[in-house]
Amino acid sequence: MKAIFILILAAVGSVGSGILKALWGGWSQPMVVLLIMMGLDYFTGVLVALVFRKSPHTKSGGLSSSVGLKGLLRKFILIVIVAAAYQIDKLIGTSYIRDAVAIAFIANEAISLMENAGLMGVPIPQILLKGIEVLKGKADAHVEDVASHSDKPSDETTTITVMDHDDYDEDGSPVTGGDGE
């Protein structure tokens, strides 16, 4: 019985490794760090809601299963985007797009991790807070710059909105302004 169990585990591991290699190009350091950062961000987000009851995603600040599920789904989509970046790498014969995308998401997860720590009352050095604000400001400015280069909207124009944690309501849905924006 034990031998069959070990054989099944080996088969699952082999298949899993093949899928990992085909979709993401295997394990690279940026992929490892991204998965660790995603896990830490999710864990600290649960702590903020469960222990500190300061979640910006719910009116009560407490834990919500729908918000948690949406958070996991968002993280899953990040992994899908990294897989797409690897496929683009393979298509054009490069080896850096996947890692660049992963590093960009690592920065985003690091910002979220710092925000969660701040919500828990962990003292964040002023230099890190300023760095987060600069990164957020540059992201907002880049999106506005991209949007401003379009003479007129067309079917080919996509609008991207960069949202903070405060931009979601209690069930994790994006909050829009009163004027429908």
Side-chain angles (χ1 to χ4, degrees):
M1 184 65 158
K2 186 176 180 181
I4 291 173
F5 180 71
I6 291 172
L7 184 61
I8 290 171
L9 286 178
V12 168
S14 296
V15 170
S17 295
I19 291 170
L20 179 73
K21 176 70 175 159
L23 291 178
W24 292 281
W27 290 107
S28 68
Q29 192 60 36
M31 285 293 296
V32 171
V33 173
L34 177 60
L35 292 175
I36 290 170
M37 293 297 287
M38 289 170 67
L40 291 172
D41 177 50
Y42 191 81
F43 176 72
T44 58
V46 169
L47 285 178
V48 164
L50 186 64
V51 177
F52 295 91
R53 303 199 56 80
K54 292 185 178 181
S55 172
H57 301 293
T58 62
K59 286 181 183 175
S60 69
L63 197 60
S64 166
S65 59
S66 66
V67 170
L69 177 61
K70 287 179 182 180
L72 286 175
L73 291 174
R74 286 185 189 108
K75 293 194 184 303
F76 173 75
I77 295 302
L78 296 182
I79 297 299
V80 169
I81 293 169
V82 173
Y86 172 68
Q87 297 305 314
I88 293 169
D89 265 341
K90 285 187 355 184
L91 178 68
I92 62 176
T94 61
S95 61
Y96 57 83
I97 296 173
R98 176 200 61 183
D99 288 347
V101 169
I103 290 167
F105 285 135
I106 289 167
N108 191 54
E109 294 295 319
I111 290 169
S112 182
L113 189 58
M114 296 302 284
E115 290 170 342
N116 288 343
L119 289 169
M120 288 187 266
V122 174
I124 308 296
Q126 195 63 32
I127 188 77
L128 290 178
L129 294 174
K130 285 183 181 181
I132 290 169
E133 291 306 315
V134 167
L135 288 173
K136 284 183 176 180
K138 285 187 177 183
D140 291 340
H142 176 70
V143 170
E144 290 170 8
D145 185 48
V146 168
S148 70
H149 281 77
S150 175
D151 293 334
K152 58 183 175 182
S154 70
D155 291 338
E156 297 175 323
T157 302
T158 302
T159 302
I160 300 173
T161 304
V162 177
M163 301 178 83
D164 290 329
H165 286 296
D166 297 335
D167 297 329
Y168 297 94
D169 66 13
E170 65 183 32
D171 70 350
S173 300
V175 175
T176 59
D179 57 359
E181 290 183 357

